[in-house]
Amino acid sequence: MRQPGAYSNLLSGGKTGPHSLPLARIKKIMKKSGEDVKMISGEAPIVFSKACELFIEELTKRAWAMTLQRKTRTMHKEDVAAAVMETDIFDFLVGLVSHTPNPSAPLES
Amino acid sequence: MKRDPDQYMPIATLTRIMRRVLPDHAKVADDAKETIQECVSEFISFITNEANERCHREYRRTVTPNDVVSAMEGLGFGSYVEPLTVFINKHRAQQDCCPPPRQATHQPPPPQMARLPGVDGYVPSPPAVDVANYLEMPQMRDYFVGPYRGSGGGGGGGGGGDQFDHFK
């Protein structure tokens, strides 16, 4: 029985393979992350597809907790931002979710 | 400002994953979805940079799954290590069972079906490609350099050295 390669239907049609998140797109983002990111093993995007699922689930759960604190049922961008601010391991996202940085906030040395 | 969709995970897929952990009555505004899309791409870049630095420190050029997982562990995502290890091991076991089709001309011919006397039907001969050569498959070969190229098969399915510690 013919088995598709990891990227076969992704490179041709941009559709997802057996993984939820599109591997070719993950690989594109990986390559764009740095000038010197040249060679990526075929399995690395596959690992990321699962890791991103875990990340999305965790961020969503934390953001929903913020939504509940506001006593509402609709999650907004502010809830995602609040979840990022509250979670240490999401520190790398602080710049992304803060549109206007607080000039009075102390700079970390 | 127009967003380049190629830089983000598809919003429909993202929403499906979010729905797994939200109650049925939960609503998610578009701005929340877009923010999470951006966060996911930033996550990939953040981890990849760290993984790439690890590679360079060890004088390697290819970012491997082990680099990615080690980077996550070092950056506070240690809770992801176990589920990722299970996931990649399952994926490799599946690949061993049903390897992807060969494409390059110098690959060995496909296994011949042998007709056994007294057996109604054909029985496939053992597969010609072993697990160690899986990494030499064209779609994998493009992304491998260094110890994986021309070695004619290293460790089973995972290469040599400490590069796949998480998945042994």
Side-chain angles (χ1 to χ4, degrees):
Chain A
M1 185 176 75
R2 180 179 177 271
Q3 293 290 328
Y7 294 90
S8 59
N9 52 347
L10 296 165
L11 293 175
S12 57
K15 295 177 189 166
T16 57
H19 313 280
S20 297
L21 295 163
L23 300 180
R25 202 168 295 185
I26 289 173
K27 184 164 168 268
K28 199 179 276 192
I29 297 170
M30 287 178 75
K31 290 208 134 182
K32 258 205 137 188
S33 66
E35 282 293 324
D36 57 349
V37 179
K38 300 262 189 278
M39 302 294 293
I40 300 170
S41 92
E43 287 180 318
I46 294 170
V47 172
F48 260 121
S49 75
K50 181 64 179 176
C52 287
E53 285 187 25
L54 298 172
F55 175 79
I56 291 165
E57 288 177 359
E58 182 171 6
L59 184 54
T60 301
K61 281 191 271 195
R62 291 179 183 274
W64 180 248
M66 300 294 118
T67 309
L68 292 178
Q69 283 186 22
R70 289 192 299 114
K71 297 191 187 343
T72 175
R73 289 184 174 193
T74 304
M75 184 194 296
H76 283 283
K77 181 172 70 171
E78 291 73 27
D79 301 316
V80 179
V84 163
M85 297 301 182
E86 238 201 24
T87 313
D88 287 345
I89 58 170
F90 291 162
D91 278 354
F92 68 99
L93 297 170
V94 167
L96 188 69
V97 299
S98 318
H99 286 291
T100 47
N102 184 357
S104 62
L107 291 172
E108 288 181 19
S109 56
Chain B
M1 194 171 69
K2 207 164 183 175
R3 294 161 106 230
D4 177 7
D6 278 353
Q7 291 309 308
Y8 304 108
M9 293 297 111
I11 211 151
T13 313
L14 189 91
T15 307
R16 194 165 59 241
I17 297 169
M18 291 175 74
R19 284 279 160 214
R20 289 184 204 159
V21 298
L22 289 172
D24 291 343
H25 62 265
K27 290 188 172 60
V28 184
D30 287 346
D31 62 0
K33 292 180 191 174
E34 286 173 7
T35 303
I36 293 184
Q37 263 186 317
E38 292 166 11
C39 290
V40 172
S41 298
E42 191 67 21
F43 171 71
I44 294 170
S45 297
F46 181 56
I47 302 293
T48 300
N49 270 319
E50 174 68 17
N52 195 44
E53 276 180 29
R54 282 168 188 260
C55 267
H56 285 171
R57 281 200 291 268
E58 295 172 17
Y59 305 103
R60 288 182 288 109
R61 285 194 286 163
T62 305
V63 177
T64 64
N66 202 55
D67 294 324
V68 172
V69 174
S70 296
M72 285 187 198
E73 196 169 17
L75 292 170
F77 294 91
S79 60
Y80 292 11
V81 171
E82 193 182 328
L84 288 178
T85 306
V86 168
F87 176 77
I88 197 72
N89 285 337
K90 266 193 199 166
H91 173 263
R92 286 178 177 174
Q94 220 171 10
Q95 294 289 318
D96 292 351
C97 162
C98 308
R102 281 172 233 91
Q103 291 169 22
T105 52
H106 64 269
Q107 291 291 339
Q112 298 299 313
M113 306 293 267
R115 189 171 181 85
L116 291 185
V119 174
D120 185 21
Y122 285 89
V123 175
S125 47
V129 177
D130 63 30
V131 170
N133 287 327
Y134 167 67
L135 295 174
E136 292 299 311
M137 294 295 180
Q139 59 267 42
M140 295 297 167
R141 202 176 54 234
D142 285 351
Y143 305 119
F144 279 93
V145 288
Y148 298 112
R149 179 162 288 179
S151 62
D162 296 325
Q163 295 181 32
F164 293 93
D165 280 349
H166 287 285
F167 309 117
K168 279 183 184 163

